[in-house]
Short mmCIF file of all heavy atoms in Angstrom, two decimals:
data_model
loop_
_atom_site.label_atom_id
_atom_site.label_comp_id
_atom_site.label_asym_id
_atom_site.label_seq_id
_atom_site.Cartn_x
_atom_site.Cartn_y
_atom_site.Cartn_z
N SER A 1 110.44 113.81 110.46
CA SER A 1 109.40 112.94 109.87
C SER A 1 110.05 111.82 109.04
O SER A 1 109.54 110.78 108.90
CB SER A 1 108.41 113.76 109.13
OG SER A 1 109.04 114.34 107.92
N LYS A 2 111.28 112.20 108.42
CA LYS A 2 111.95 111.20 107.59
C LYS A 2 112.42 109.98 108.38
O LYS A 2 112.17 108.81 107.94
CB LYS A 2 113.17 111.82 106.97
CG LYS A 2 112.95 113.13 106.21
CD LYS A 2 112.30 112.91 104.91
CE LYS A 2 112.28 114.20 104.08
NZ LYS A 2 110.97 114.57 103.69
N ILE A 3 112.86 110.21 109.58
CA ILE A 3 113.33 109.16 110.46
C ILE A 3 112.16 108.24 110.90
O ILE A 3 112.22 107.05 110.89
CB ILE A 3 114.08 109.68 111.71
CG1 ILE A 3 115.35 110.41 111.15
CG2 ILE A 3 114.49 108.49 112.62
CD1 ILE A 3 115.97 111.33 112.17
N GLN A 4 110.99 108.89 111.24
CA GLN A 4 109.79 108.19 111.66
C GLN A 4 109.34 107.33 110.46
O GLN A 4 108.93 106.15 110.69
CB GLN A 4 108.76 109.09 112.16
CG GLN A 4 109.08 109.83 113.39
CD GLN A 4 109.28 108.97 114.63
OE1 GLN A 4 109.74 107.82 114.60
NE2 GLN A 4 108.73 109.46 115.73
N THR A 5 109.37 107.85 109.27
CA THR A 5 108.91 107.15 108.06
C THR A 5 109.80 105.89 107.96
O THR A 5 109.31 104.76 107.62
CB THR A 5 109.00 108.06 106.84
OG1 THR A 5 108.07 109.11 107.03
CG2 THR A 5 108.63 107.23 105.56
N MET A 6 111.08 106.09 108.12
CA MET A 6 112.10 104.97 107.93
C MET A 6 111.89 103.87 108.97
O MET A 6 111.95 102.70 108.69
CB MET A 6 113.47 105.50 108.00
CG MET A 6 113.92 106.33 106.83
SD MET A 6 115.55 106.93 106.88
CE MET A 6 116.46 105.35 106.81
N ARG A 7 111.57 104.32 110.22
CA ARG A 7 111.29 103.37 111.34
C ARG A 7 110.14 102.46 110.88
O ARG A 7 110.14 101.21 111.05
CB ARG A 7 110.93 104.02 112.55
CG ARG A 7 112.11 104.67 113.32
CD ARG A 7 111.61 105.45 114.56
NE ARG A 7 110.88 104.55 115.43
CZ ARG A 7 111.41 103.89 116.40
NH1 ARG A 7 112.71 103.98 116.64
NH2 ARG A 7 110.67 103.14 117.19
N LYS A 8 109.06 103.13 110.37
CA LYS A 8 107.85 102.40 109.98
C LYS A 8 108.14 101.45 108.74
O LYS A 8 107.81 100.24 108.76
CB LYS A 8 106.76 103.32 109.56
CG LYS A 8 105.46 102.66 109.16
CD LYS A 8 104.42 103.73 108.83
CE LYS A 8 103.14 103.02 108.38
NZ LYS A 8 102.13 104.01 107.92
N ASP A 9 108.84 102.02 107.77
CA ASP A 9 109.15 101.25 106.55
C ASP A 9 110.07 100.00 106.88
O ASP A 9 109.98 98.97 106.26
CB ASP A 9 109.82 102.09 105.49
CG ASP A 9 108.92 103.07 104.88
OD1 ASP A 9 107.64 103.03 105.15
OD2 ASP A 9 109.37 103.95 104.20
N ALA A 10 110.92 100.12 107.93
CA ALA A 10 111.83 99.09 108.29
C ALA A 10 111.09 98.00 109.19
O ALA A 10 111.68 96.95 109.44
CB ALA A 10 113.02 99.66 109.03
N GLY A 11 109.90 98.25 109.56
CA GLY A 11 109.08 97.35 110.37
C GLY A 11 109.43 97.31 111.84
O GLY A 11 109.09 96.38 112.52
N PHE A 12 109.93 98.45 112.33
CA PHE A 12 110.30 98.51 113.76
C PHE A 12 109.04 98.77 114.57
O PHE A 12 108.08 99.31 114.05
CB PHE A 12 111.27 99.69 114.02
CG PHE A 12 112.63 99.53 113.36
CD1 PHE A 12 113.52 100.65 113.25
CD2 PHE A 12 113.08 98.36 112.82
CE1 PHE A 12 114.73 100.50 112.69
CE2 PHE A 12 114.32 98.24 112.33
CZ PHE A 12 115.21 99.32 112.24
N GLU A 13 109.06 98.25 115.79
CA GLU A 13 107.95 98.51 116.69
C GLU A 13 108.02 99.94 117.21
O GLU A 13 109.09 100.53 117.23
CB GLU A 13 107.94 97.50 117.92
CG GLU A 13 107.90 96.09 117.47
CD GLU A 13 106.54 95.71 116.91
OE1 GLU A 13 105.49 96.27 117.39
OE2 GLU A 13 106.53 94.87 116.04
N VAL A 14 106.90 100.44 117.70
CA VAL A 14 106.81 101.81 118.12
C VAL A 14 107.81 102.14 119.22
O VAL A 14 108.41 103.21 119.22
CB VAL A 14 105.32 102.12 118.63
CG1 VAL A 14 105.28 103.52 119.32
CG2 VAL A 14 104.36 102.01 117.52
N MET A 15 108.06 101.26 120.10
CA MET A 15 108.98 101.47 121.23
C MET A 15 110.49 101.06 121.05
O MET A 15 111.30 101.20 121.92
CB MET A 15 108.40 100.82 122.51
CG MET A 15 107.08 101.40 122.99
SD MET A 15 107.04 103.20 123.18
CE MET A 15 108.17 103.44 124.46
N ASP A 16 110.72 100.58 119.82
CA ASP A 16 112.13 100.12 119.52
C ASP A 16 113.06 101.33 119.51
O ASP A 16 112.75 102.28 118.90
CB ASP A 16 112.23 99.41 118.16
CG ASP A 16 111.59 98.03 118.16
OD1 ASP A 16 111.48 97.41 119.25
OD2 ASP A 16 111.26 97.55 117.07
N LYS A 17 114.12 101.18 120.23
CA LYS A 17 115.20 102.23 120.19
C LYS A 17 116.07 101.91 118.99
O LYS A 17 116.28 100.82 118.61
CB LYS A 17 116.01 102.21 121.51
CG LYS A 17 115.09 102.55 122.70
CD LYS A 17 115.94 103.05 123.81
CE LYS A 17 115.07 103.41 124.99
NZ LYS A 17 114.56 104.72 125.01
N ILE A 18 116.69 103.01 118.48
CA ILE A 18 117.46 102.88 117.24
C ILE A 18 118.78 103.61 117.27
O ILE A 18 118.98 104.50 118.16
CB ILE A 18 116.66 103.44 116.04
CG1 ILE A 18 116.44 104.90 116.05
CG2 ILE A 18 115.42 102.69 115.74
CD1 ILE A 18 116.00 105.61 114.86
N THR A 19 119.64 103.25 116.40
CA THR A 19 120.89 103.99 116.07
C THR A 19 120.57 104.67 114.72
O THR A 19 120.05 104.05 113.83
CB THR A 19 122.10 103.10 115.96
OG1 THR A 19 122.36 102.54 117.22
CG2 THR A 19 123.32 103.92 115.45
N LEU A 20 120.92 105.97 114.59
CA LEU A 20 120.68 106.73 113.40
C LEU A 20 122.07 106.99 112.79
O LEU A 20 122.93 107.57 113.46
CB LEU A 20 119.93 108.04 113.69
CG LEU A 20 119.86 108.97 112.54
CD1 LEU A 20 118.98 108.43 111.37
CD2 LEU A 20 119.24 110.31 113.06
N ASN A 21 122.26 106.68 111.52
CA ASN A 21 123.46 107.03 110.80
C ASN A 21 123.10 108.10 109.80
O ASN A 21 122.07 108.04 109.22
CB ASN A 21 123.99 105.83 109.98
CG ASN A 21 124.56 104.73 110.90
OD1 ASN A 21 123.76 104.01 111.49
ND2 ASN A 21 125.82 104.68 110.95
N VAL A 22 123.91 109.17 109.74
CA VAL A 22 123.68 110.34 108.91
C VAL A 22 124.90 110.61 108.07
O VAL A 22 126.00 110.77 108.56
CB VAL A 22 123.34 111.55 109.79
CG1 VAL A 22 123.12 112.75 108.89
CG2 VAL A 22 122.16 111.31 110.63
N THR A 23 124.73 110.71 106.71
CA THR A 23 125.74 111.26 105.83
C THR A 23 125.06 112.18 104.91
O THR A 23 123.93 112.06 104.63
CB THR A 23 126.49 110.16 105.11
OG1 THR A 23 125.51 109.40 104.34
CG2 THR A 23 127.30 109.24 105.98
N GLY A 24 125.81 113.12 104.43
CA GLY A 24 125.28 114.06 103.48
C GLY A 24 126.01 115.41 103.51
O GLY A 24 127.12 115.52 103.94
N SER A 25 125.30 116.43 103.09
CA SER A 25 125.92 117.75 102.98
C SER A 25 126.27 118.28 104.39
O SER A 25 125.62 117.85 105.43
CB SER A 25 124.99 118.75 102.31
OG SER A 25 123.92 119.05 103.12
N ASP A 26 127.15 119.23 104.42
CA ASP A 26 127.56 119.84 105.72
C ASP A 26 126.30 120.55 106.34
O ASP A 26 126.22 120.51 107.58
CB ASP A 26 128.68 120.94 105.53
CG ASP A 26 130.02 120.26 105.19
OD1 ASP A 26 130.17 119.04 105.45
OD2 ASP A 26 130.88 120.92 104.64
N LYS A 27 125.40 121.11 105.50
CA LYS A 27 124.26 121.74 106.03
C LYS A 27 123.36 120.79 106.75
O LYS A 27 122.88 121.10 107.91
CB LYS A 27 123.55 122.46 104.94
CG LYS A 27 122.52 123.48 105.34
CD LYS A 27 121.93 124.12 104.16
CE LYS A 27 121.78 125.63 104.35
NZ LYS A 27 121.28 126.28 103.19
N VAL A 28 123.09 119.67 106.19
CA VAL A 28 122.27 118.69 106.87
C VAL A 28 122.88 118.15 108.10
O VAL A 28 122.21 118.09 109.17
CB VAL A 28 122.01 117.48 105.94
CG1 VAL A 28 121.33 116.28 106.58
CG2 VAL A 28 121.14 117.89 104.74
N THR A 29 124.17 117.84 108.10
CA THR A 29 124.86 117.43 109.27
C THR A 29 124.84 118.45 110.41
O THR A 29 124.59 118.09 111.57
CB THR A 29 126.38 117.08 108.97
OG1 THR A 29 126.34 116.12 107.91
CG2 THR A 29 127.09 116.54 110.17
N GLU A 30 125.04 119.66 110.13
CA GLU A 30 124.95 120.78 111.16
C GLU A 30 123.55 120.84 111.76
O GLU A 30 123.44 120.97 112.95
CB GLU A 30 125.42 122.08 110.59
CG GLU A 30 126.96 122.15 110.33
CD GLU A 30 127.74 121.81 111.58
OE1 GLU A 30 127.40 122.36 112.71
OE2 GLU A 30 128.68 121.00 111.55
N VAL A 31 122.58 120.67 110.95
CA VAL A 31 121.19 120.78 111.39
C VAL A 31 120.89 119.60 112.43
O VAL A 31 120.30 119.80 113.44
CB VAL A 31 120.19 120.83 110.31
CG1 VAL A 31 118.72 120.65 110.76
CG2 VAL A 31 120.29 122.20 109.57
N ILE A 32 121.29 118.38 111.97
CA ILE A 32 121.18 117.26 112.84
C ILE A 32 121.91 117.42 114.17
O ILE A 32 121.33 117.18 115.22
CB ILE A 32 121.66 115.98 112.12
CG1 ILE A 32 120.86 115.68 110.88
CG2 ILE A 32 121.56 114.81 113.11
CD1 ILE A 32 119.42 115.30 111.06
N LYS A 33 123.12 117.88 114.09
CA LYS A 33 123.92 118.08 115.32
C LYS A 33 123.30 119.12 116.26
O LYS A 33 123.19 118.96 117.44
CB LYS A 33 125.31 118.49 114.91
CG LYS A 33 126.17 117.41 114.45
CD LYS A 33 127.60 117.86 114.07
CE LYS A 33 128.46 116.69 113.58
NZ LYS A 33 129.82 117.17 113.23
N ARG A 34 122.79 120.22 115.65
CA ARG A 34 122.20 121.25 116.45
C ARG A 34 120.86 120.81 117.13
O ARG A 34 120.50 121.30 118.13
CB ARG A 34 121.96 122.43 115.49
CG ARG A 34 121.76 123.76 116.23
CD ARG A 34 121.71 124.97 115.33
NE ARG A 34 120.85 124.89 114.20
CZ ARG A 34 121.30 124.88 112.88
NH1 ARG A 34 122.65 125.01 112.59
NH2 ARG A 34 120.50 124.77 111.91
N ASN A 35 120.20 119.87 116.56
CA ASN A 35 118.91 119.41 117.01
C ASN A 35 118.93 117.96 117.43
O ASN A 35 117.88 117.29 117.67
CB ASN A 35 117.84 119.51 115.88
CG ASN A 35 117.67 120.97 115.57
OD1 ASN A 35 117.06 121.71 116.25
ND2 ASN A 35 118.13 121.40 114.41
N ALA A 36 120.12 117.47 117.78
CA ALA A 36 120.32 116.01 118.16
C ALA A 36 119.46 115.62 119.38
O ALA A 36 118.88 114.50 119.31
CB ALA A 36 121.80 115.75 118.45
N GLU A 37 119.39 116.37 120.41
CA GLU A 37 118.62 115.99 121.54
C GLU A 37 117.12 115.91 121.21
O GLU A 37 116.49 114.93 121.58
CB GLU A 37 118.76 117.03 122.68
CG GLU A 37 118.09 116.63 123.96
CD GLU A 37 118.41 117.56 125.17
OE1 GLU A 37 119.34 118.40 125.03
OE2 GLU A 37 117.67 117.44 126.11
N LYS A 38 116.55 116.83 120.49
CA LYS A 38 115.18 116.74 120.13
C LYS A 38 114.90 115.52 119.21
O LYS A 38 113.94 114.82 119.38
CB LYS A 38 114.70 118.01 119.46
CG LYS A 38 113.20 117.95 119.07
CD LYS A 38 112.66 119.35 118.80
CE LYS A 38 111.18 119.34 118.42
NZ LYS A 38 110.36 118.33 118.90
N ILE A 39 115.76 115.41 118.25
CA ILE A 39 115.60 114.28 117.28
C ILE A 39 115.67 112.97 118.03
O ILE A 39 114.85 112.02 117.81
CB ILE A 39 116.72 114.34 116.21
CG1 ILE A 39 116.40 115.52 115.26
CG2 ILE A 39 116.70 113.02 115.41
CD1 ILE A 39 117.57 115.90 114.27
N SER A 40 116.62 112.83 118.93
CA SER A 40 116.77 111.58 119.72
C SER A 40 115.50 111.33 120.56
O SER A 40 115.08 110.17 120.64
CB SER A 40 118.04 111.67 120.64
OG SER A 40 119.15 111.72 119.86
N ASN A 41 115.04 112.34 121.23
CA ASN A 41 113.85 112.11 122.06
C ASN A 41 112.55 111.82 121.17
O ASN A 41 111.87 110.94 121.57
CB ASN A 41 113.58 113.37 122.87
CG ASN A 41 114.59 113.60 123.96
OD1 ASN A 41 115.20 112.66 124.43
ND2 ASN A 41 114.67 114.81 124.38
N ASP A 42 112.44 112.45 120.11
CA ASP A 42 111.23 112.27 119.24
C ASP A 42 111.23 110.97 118.51
O ASP A 42 110.17 110.44 118.15
CB ASP A 42 111.08 113.39 118.21
CG ASP A 42 110.72 114.74 118.85
OD1 ASP A 42 110.48 114.79 120.11
OD2 ASP A 42 110.77 115.76 118.11
N THR A 43 112.46 110.40 118.22
CA THR A 43 112.56 109.14 117.44
C THR A 43 113.11 107.98 118.15
O THR A 43 113.35 106.99 117.53
CB THR A 43 113.44 109.39 116.14
OG1 THR A 43 114.76 109.77 116.60
CG2 THR A 43 112.85 110.51 115.31
N LEU A 44 113.26 108.07 119.47
CA LEU A 44 113.90 107.00 120.32
C LEU A 44 115.20 106.57 119.80
O LEU A 44 115.55 105.39 119.78
CB LEU A 44 112.94 105.82 120.45
CG LEU A 44 111.60 106.10 121.12
CD1 LEU A 44 110.73 104.75 121.07
CD2 LEU A 44 111.74 106.51 122.55
N THR A 45 116.03 107.54 119.51
CA THR A 45 117.40 107.30 118.95
C THR A 45 118.41 107.39 120.18
O THR A 45 118.44 108.34 120.90
CB THR A 45 117.77 108.38 117.97
OG1 THR A 45 116.90 108.26 116.81
CG2 THR A 45 119.20 108.19 117.45
N ASP A 46 119.11 106.25 120.32
CA ASP A 46 120.09 106.14 121.45
C ASP A 46 121.41 106.77 121.00
O ASP A 46 122.17 107.19 121.83
CB ASP A 46 120.31 104.71 121.79
CG ASP A 46 119.25 104.17 122.79
OD1 ASP A 46 118.46 104.99 123.32
OD2 ASP A 46 119.12 102.97 122.92
N GLU A 47 121.73 106.69 119.74
CA GLU A 47 123.02 107.10 119.13
C GLU A 47 122.80 107.67 117.76
O GLU A 47 122.05 107.12 116.94
CB GLU A 47 123.98 105.92 119.14
CG GLU A 47 125.31 106.31 118.56
CD GLU A 47 126.26 105.05 118.44
OE1 GLU A 47 125.80 103.90 118.79
OE2 GLU A 47 127.30 105.20 117.95
N ILE A 48 123.53 108.77 117.51
CA ILE A 48 123.58 109.33 116.17
C ILE A 48 125.10 109.20 115.70
O ILE A 48 125.94 109.75 116.38
CB ILE A 48 123.10 110.77 116.09
CG1 ILE A 48 121.60 110.94 116.60
CG2 ILE A 48 123.26 111.33 114.59
CD1 ILE A 48 121.16 112.32 116.67
N ALA A 49 125.29 108.45 114.61
CA ALA A 49 126.63 108.31 114.07
C ALA A 49 126.71 109.07 112.69
O ALA A 49 125.85 108.82 111.87
CB ALA A 49 126.94 106.88 113.92
N TYR A 50 127.69 109.75 112.49
CA TYR A 50 127.83 110.58 111.27
C TYR A 50 128.75 109.74 110.30
O TYR A 50 129.81 110.30 109.87
CB TYR A 50 128.40 111.97 111.65
CG TYR A 50 127.39 112.70 112.45
CD1 TYR A 50 127.50 112.69 113.86
CD2 TYR A 50 126.32 113.36 111.93
CE1 TYR A 50 126.55 113.36 114.63
CE2 TYR A 50 125.38 113.99 112.67
CZ TYR A 50 125.53 114.00 114.12
OH TYR A 50 124.61 114.61 114.87
N THR A 51 128.34 108.53 110.01
CA THR A 51 128.98 107.68 109.11
C THR A 51 127.97 106.89 108.25
O THR A 51 126.74 106.85 108.57
CB THR A 51 129.83 106.66 109.91
OG1 THR A 51 128.95 105.81 110.71
CG2 THR A 51 130.92 107.25 110.72
N VAL A 52 128.42 106.31 107.20
CA VAL A 52 127.56 105.43 106.39
C VAL A 52 127.22 104.19 107.19
O VAL A 52 128.04 103.61 107.89
CB VAL A 52 128.29 105.07 105.07
CG1 VAL A 52 127.51 104.08 104.27
CG2 VAL A 52 128.66 106.30 104.23
N GLY A 53 126.02 103.71 107.12
CA GLY A 53 125.66 102.50 107.81
C GLY A 53 124.14 102.47 108.07
O GLY A 53 123.35 103.38 107.69
N GLY A 54 123.75 101.37 108.73
CA GLY A 54 122.34 101.22 109.10
C GLY A 54 121.80 99.94 108.43
O GLY A 54 122.12 99.65 107.24
N ALA A 55 120.97 99.31 109.11
CA ALA A 55 120.27 98.06 108.63
C ALA A 55 119.29 98.49 107.53
O ALA A 55 119.05 97.72 106.62
CB ALA A 55 119.56 97.36 109.76
N TYR A 56 118.71 99.61 107.56
CA TYR A 56 117.74 100.15 106.68
C TYR A 56 118.17 101.52 106.26
O TYR A 56 118.26 102.42 107.16
CB TYR A 56 116.33 100.12 107.14
CG TYR A 56 115.28 100.56 106.23
CD1 TYR A 56 114.76 99.82 105.27
CD2 TYR A 56 114.89 101.95 106.24
CE1 TYR A 56 113.77 100.25 104.32
CE2 TYR A 56 113.85 102.38 105.25
CZ TYR A 56 113.34 101.54 104.44
OH TYR A 56 112.46 101.98 103.48
N THR A 57 118.47 101.87 105.00
CA THR A 57 118.90 103.18 104.65
C THR A 57 117.97 103.73 103.51
O THR A 57 117.31 103.05 102.82
CB THR A 57 120.31 103.10 104.02
OG1 THR A 57 120.38 102.31 102.86
CG2 THR A 57 121.35 102.57 105.02
N ALA A 58 118.00 105.07 103.44
CA ALA A 58 117.23 105.77 102.44
C ALA A 58 117.94 107.05 102.15
O ALA A 58 118.52 107.71 102.97
CB ALA A 58 115.77 106.05 102.91
N ASP A 59 117.82 107.44 100.81
CA ASP A 59 118.36 108.73 100.36
C ASP A 59 117.26 109.75 100.38
O ASP A 59 116.16 109.45 99.98
CB ASP A 59 118.97 108.59 98.95
CG ASP A 59 120.13 107.70 98.88
OD1 ASP A 59 121.01 107.65 99.82
OD2 ASP A 59 120.28 106.91 97.89
N TRP A 60 117.62 110.95 100.78
CA TRP A 60 116.61 112.02 100.89
C TRP A 60 117.23 113.30 100.31
O TRP A 60 118.34 113.54 100.33
CB TRP A 60 116.30 112.30 102.39
CG TRP A 60 115.66 111.15 103.14
CD1 TRP A 60 116.41 110.27 103.97
CD2 TRP A 60 114.35 110.70 103.13
NE1 TRP A 60 115.51 109.31 104.42
CE2 TRP A 60 114.24 109.59 103.94
CE3 TRP A 60 113.16 111.14 102.50
CZ2 TRP A 60 113.08 108.89 104.16
CZ3 TRP A 60 112.00 110.49 102.73
CH2 TRP A 60 111.99 109.37 103.51
N ASN A 61 116.29 114.10 99.83
CA ASN A 61 116.63 115.50 99.46
C ASN A 61 115.85 116.37 100.39
O ASN A 61 114.59 116.44 100.26
CB ASN A 61 116.32 115.75 97.96
CG ASN A 61 116.77 117.12 97.58
OD1 ASN A 61 116.22 118.14 98.02
ND2 ASN A 61 117.76 117.21 96.72
N ILE A 62 116.56 117.10 101.21
CA ILE A 62 115.92 117.95 102.28
C ILE A 62 116.22 119.34 101.95
O ILE A 62 117.37 119.83 102.06
CB ILE A 62 116.39 117.55 103.65
CG1 ILE A 62 116.17 116.09 103.94
CG2 ILE A 62 115.76 118.36 104.74
CD1 ILE A 62 116.84 115.46 105.18
N ASN A 63 115.22 120.08 101.46
CA ASN A 63 115.33 121.50 101.15
C ASN A 63 116.58 121.74 100.24
O ASN A 63 117.35 122.65 100.36
CB ASN A 63 115.51 122.39 102.38
CG ASN A 63 114.31 122.28 103.28
OD1 ASN A 63 113.16 122.17 102.83
ND2 ASN A 63 114.51 122.42 104.58
N GLY A 64 116.68 120.84 99.27
CA GLY A 64 117.79 120.93 98.22
C GLY A 64 119.03 120.40 98.64
O GLY A 64 120.03 120.45 97.95
N GLU A 65 119.14 119.75 99.80
CA GLU A 65 120.39 119.18 100.34
C GLU A 65 120.27 117.64 100.39
O GLU A 65 119.28 117.14 100.87
CB GLU A 65 120.66 119.74 101.76
CG GLU A 65 120.83 121.21 101.83
CD GLU A 65 122.13 121.65 101.23
OE1 GLU A 65 123.13 120.94 101.21
OE2 GLU A 65 122.12 122.81 100.75
N ASP A 66 121.23 116.93 99.74
CA ASP A 66 121.23 115.52 99.75
C ASP A 66 121.73 114.90 101.05
O ASP A 66 122.66 115.43 101.68
CB ASP A 66 122.10 114.97 98.60
CG ASP A 66 121.54 115.31 97.26
OD1 ASP A 66 120.26 115.37 97.14
OD2 ASP A 66 122.34 115.48 96.29
N ALA A 67 121.06 113.84 101.50
CA ALA A 67 121.43 113.13 102.69
C ALA A 67 121.07 111.68 102.59
O ALA A 67 120.14 111.31 101.88
CB ALA A 67 120.75 113.80 103.87
N THR A 68 121.76 110.84 103.29
CA THR A 68 121.45 109.50 103.42
C THR A 68 121.38 109.17 104.95
O THR A 68 122.21 109.50 105.70
CB THR A 68 122.55 108.55 102.84
OG1 THR A 68 122.63 108.88 101.42
CG2 THR A 68 122.14 107.06 102.95
N PHE A 69 120.22 108.54 105.31
CA PHE A 69 119.93 108.22 106.66
C PHE A 69 119.92 106.68 106.78
O PHE A 69 119.41 106.03 105.81
CB PHE A 69 118.64 108.71 107.23
CG PHE A 69 118.60 110.24 107.38
CD1 PHE A 69 117.32 110.82 107.45
CD2 PHE A 69 119.65 111.05 107.33
CE1 PHE A 69 117.24 112.22 107.60
CE2 PHE A 69 119.58 112.37 107.55
CZ PHE A 69 118.30 113.00 107.58
N GLY A 70 120.46 106.17 107.78
CA GLY A 70 120.37 104.71 108.08
C GLY A 70 119.84 104.46 109.46
O GLY A 70 120.17 105.27 110.37
N VAL A 71 118.98 103.50 109.65
CA VAL A 71 118.44 103.21 111.02
C VAL A 71 118.68 101.70 111.32
O VAL A 71 118.59 100.84 110.44
CB VAL A 71 116.93 103.54 111.13
CG1 VAL A 71 116.73 105.05 111.10
CG2 VAL A 71 116.07 102.75 110.10
N THR A 72 119.05 101.48 112.59
CA THR A 72 119.31 100.08 113.06
C THR A 72 118.60 99.99 114.40
O THR A 72 118.81 100.81 115.20
CB THR A 72 120.78 99.81 113.17
OG1 THR A 72 121.41 100.09 111.98
CG2 THR A 72 121.08 98.35 113.66
N LYS A 73 117.85 98.91 114.61
CA LYS A 73 117.15 98.57 115.81
C LYS A 73 118.20 98.24 116.85
O LYS A 73 119.12 97.47 116.54
CB LYS A 73 116.15 97.56 115.72
CG LYS A 73 115.34 97.26 116.95
CD LYS A 73 114.12 96.44 116.77
CE LYS A 73 114.36 95.17 115.90
NZ LYS A 73 113.20 94.27 116.00
N ARG A 74 118.16 98.81 118.06
CA ARG A 74 119.06 98.46 119.21
C ARG A 74 118.51 97.35 119.98
O ARG A 74 117.31 97.18 119.99
CB ARG A 74 119.18 99.68 120.14
CG ARG A 74 119.66 101.01 119.53
CD ARG A 74 121.16 101.03 119.22
NE ARG A 74 121.87 100.91 120.56
CZ ARG A 74 122.92 101.61 120.95
NH1 ARG A 74 123.39 102.50 120.06
NH2 ARG A 74 123.43 101.38 121.99
N ASN A 75 119.35 96.56 120.52
CA ASN A 75 118.95 95.39 121.34
C ASN A 75 118.82 95.79 122.80
O ASN A 75 119.36 96.65 123.28
CB ASN A 75 119.91 94.24 121.22
CG ASN A 75 119.91 93.65 119.85
OD1 ASN A 75 118.85 93.62 119.20
ND2 ASN A 75 121.03 93.16 119.38
#
């Protein structure tokens, strides 16, 4: 839901494909990696990069774990 919120806040269209950047705790990274296929399908993500970046970024606290997500619209 965090990624969908970011897509909306960034002004992306419903069908825009994105790159997702993820940084944060090891726990958050492992959850993203374990669920990458579902996350990609649900959010139209073409690529998940585990680095700082993104045209639109936001800091999140997910179940007590800090994370920063970035989203960039793909061409």
Side-chain angles (χ1 to χ4, degrees):
S1 70
K2 308 283 189 236
I3 299 164
Q4 296 292 41
T5 298
M6 291 180 66
R7 287 175 57 89
K8 182 179 177 185
D9 291 349
F12 296 165
E13 298 294 327
V14 173
M15 296 307 296
D16 287 340
K17 297 204 181 270
I18 64 167
T19 295
L20 172 66
N21 292 76
V22 178
T23 56
S25 73
D26 290 342
K27 193 176 223 179
V28 170
T29 301
E30 286 305 313
V31 169
I32 298 290
K33 285 179 179 178
R34 196 169 51 242
N35 295 287
E37 186 175 344
K38 180 164 178 33
I39 291 167
S40 294
N41 289 337
D42 290 352
T43 62
L44 295 180
T45 298
D46 281 344
E47 178 184 1
I48 300 175
Y50 297 94
T51 60
V52 175
Y56 180 84
T57 63
D59 296 323
W60 301 96
N61 184 292
I62 303 169
N63 298 326
E65 300 290 329
D66 291 328
T68 301
F69 294 162
V71 293
T72 304
K73 183 169 45 170
R74 301 283 297 224
N75 291 327

